[in-house]
Amino acid sequence: MSNTVLRQSRYAHLIDLPDGSGLAIHAVSQVRLKVASDVLQLLQFFIEPGPLETAIPRLAAILGADTESIRLCIGTLIDQGLLVETSPEQEAAGTALALTETGGRDPLDLLDKYRRTRMEGSHPYWSVQAPRTLSGTRAFRYRADILLLGDCDLQMEADFLRQEGERRGIGLHVAASFPADTALAGERPHDAIVIGALQARHAIVAGDPEHHGGDPARVYIDDMETMLGKLRTLSPAPILIDGLPEPTVQPLGFADRGRHSHRNRIRHTNLALADLAARHADVFMVDTAAELGHAGSQALLDDGLVSFTHFGSPGWMLQRPASERAAVHNLFPELQPLADQTGGDPYRRETIMARAHMDALVTVLGIGSKKCVIVDLDGVLWPGVLAETGAPFAWTPDISSANSFIGLYFGIHEALLMLRRRGILLACVSKNDQETVRRLWHYGPHYPGHRLLTPDHFVCTRINWDDKAANILSIADELGFALDAFLFVDDSERERQRVRHALPDVDVAGGDLFTLRRTLLTDPRLQPARLTKESGDRSALVKAQLERGKLREAVADEASFLASLCVEATAERLTQDHEADLARVAELIARTTQFNATGRTFGLDELRHIAAAPDGRVIVLRMRDRLADHGLVGAAVVLAGDILNLVQSCRVIGLGGERTLLDAVLGDPGSDRQPLTGRIVPTDRNTPVRNLYAAHGFHPAGGGRWRAAPPLHHCQEQTTHAG
């Protein structure tokens, strides 16, 4: 890297803008970046080629920025093709090669394909960007490649989505095109696809009920289902479909009523979209109407301005090019009242929907997901200090209703119970005397017990006078989770700051009890994409795992320990019709970090395809012992003789289940009967899986792969009993 010479691409064009920022355009790929003056200066610096390592300190002095920010910004500009490491001749030859890879096609078609493959952002007509700045350039822990397919309602959001990702520490590559451009999904891999409102929405409100067979949603749903079918042949990525906004006006006013009224036709379509998403694996609906309704739709929709079914933002008209005024004889009302209507922010809708889409992407892709919420007790689950008040609450129905002051605390309990049902574990850390807390933590018969937490709801408790950060470390060690899997809730600012300083990977909340319930229920990192039986049982299963740990310490040797558990491990092959089990496999692979051979994840549709393929297999492991039925805890995904991934839940590591799973894979060669290979992709967390293949007779095959001897028999199901 020290010898790298950089220069501005021969295809890069820089345009100064009135506000001091600039527009950087790549003439071939059509990448368009609005950049702040400091990034513009950086690009101009490399008009003359120069060594990177000597350029960085010079740029730091010129721009008054730190060298790391400059280095990261240069990396981004290289990714965009605006800065290059090749000579002009080499760059031209590389571009020519890319444009002629599919010889025989129309030259304009070739150029368009090249542009679309590299394009980031929306159609230039709808490009609304915040300038890229040096200070805003940083390294991201998570990255995702997102494709938006929509009209102005979605394409105008592209840069707002990127900014929302950056705010959360997620680097997004966002490309956008029209709904008909489904082919774009097959031209590069994407982590997720978002579909905006289709043109068929105009047909929803057209005509009388009999014109659409009494079902105003039919045309729209048919178009959406056709689009989903096309996308599924091109990409296994999860898909988000936007629900339609609810109109803010009724064309026929108060008299427009009944199920076929203007607004109710849209509502009916949204219900049909929800049903459609539920029928398709890895398709999820974003409730646009709810998101805009929460913010106040009137200032966010233009159906009271230009069209009953345009559903754009009122601010859209504020950025129309002056050339379009020719259509109205260059005569138009002053735009200030419209600007006032949008509250001075014409892109508030795009900001709101970018937040909603980012929430959905975080949930569906499992970005930064939390496995455990650790709560303080005094001041969070009840008012004051329990040892001083003598009871969690002093409530009886004659004092107040359950929705008065005490309702705040009941609501926090209820939210945590909902997280538990989602599969999030609960733990508590409290500076207190444990015996005192356990003696006083109970409720009278008049309390709504189904809404309240008891000590039994927590998988781990640390009620003592130790440092809370040390207690959190102890819980992380006991559960075997990385620190970034935890959210810590405490009402004390001092304790929150102490944990932030000592354990920066742990997220912290609790500064405002009035927003805590909503935070717990709406944080996308606390929401699984789907609920499974194993999710609801997770707390009980983890408790059983911890109980096994105590038993292991009490028993003299490993063989006696396993014998005392009476472990049963069963492996079986799934078919494409095992919908619930395949969904569980997708969730298990996404959540498992320790016993995870390759780190590769799978969408539900992809698993169904592999399970149905002649050369594909999805084999799962189920386990139980005398302490608990652990359910589906392991999976191996095999295609064309390659074990794409093999995982096992950390809850059952050490019980020997991996032997049963791998023996079943070896014993079921599939109809293709290809030699079986696998590999281990080392991470900082998957030490337990490193010797999986070596310990089962596989031989090194080069390139990090391991090869097994051809299977001698076919085995559809295998069961082992330990002890």
Side-chain angles (χ1 to χ4, degrees), residues 224-272:
M224 183 64 76
E225 193 147 27
T226 298
M227 187 172 179
L228 292 176
K230 291 179 179 178
L231 289 173
R232 271 294 165 256
T233 65
L234 299 168
S235 171
I239 298 172
L240 305 180
I241 55 176
D242 279 352
L244 297 174
E246 286 192 6
T248 64
V249 296
Q250 291 273 71
L252 299 178
F254 187 73
D256 192 11
R257 57 185 184 150
R259 64 178 300 170
H260 288 282
S261 70
H262 177 71
R263 186 176 290 126
N264 283 337
R265 291 187 188 194
I266 299 296
R267 289 171 174 163
H268 175 72
T269 303
N270 281 334
L271 290 174

Side-chain angles (χ1 to χ4, degrees), residues 5-8 42-51 55 58 83:
V5 174
L6 279 186
R7 64 176 180 83
Q8 191 183 111
L42 188 153
L43 281 166
Q44 292 168 335
F45 181 89
F46 286 105
I47 290 176
E48 294 296 328
R58 290 179 59 194
L83 293 180

Side-chain angles (χ1 to χ4, degrees), residues 372-377 381-382 425-431 434 437-438 441 454-455 457-464 468 471-472 475 488-489:
C372 181
V373 175
I374 302 176
V375 295
D376 177 33
L377 299 178
L381 294 191
W382 46 70
L425 304 180
L426 303 182
C428 69
V429 167
S430 175
K431 287 188 174 179
Q434 180 169 259
V437 170
R438 290 193 177 276
W441 189 350
T454 68
H457 288 117
F458 296 84
V459 296
C460 297
T461 59
R462 297 292 188 273
I463 303 174
N464 52 43
K468 289 189 176 182
N471 276 328
I472 293 172
I475 290 174
F488 173 62
V489 180

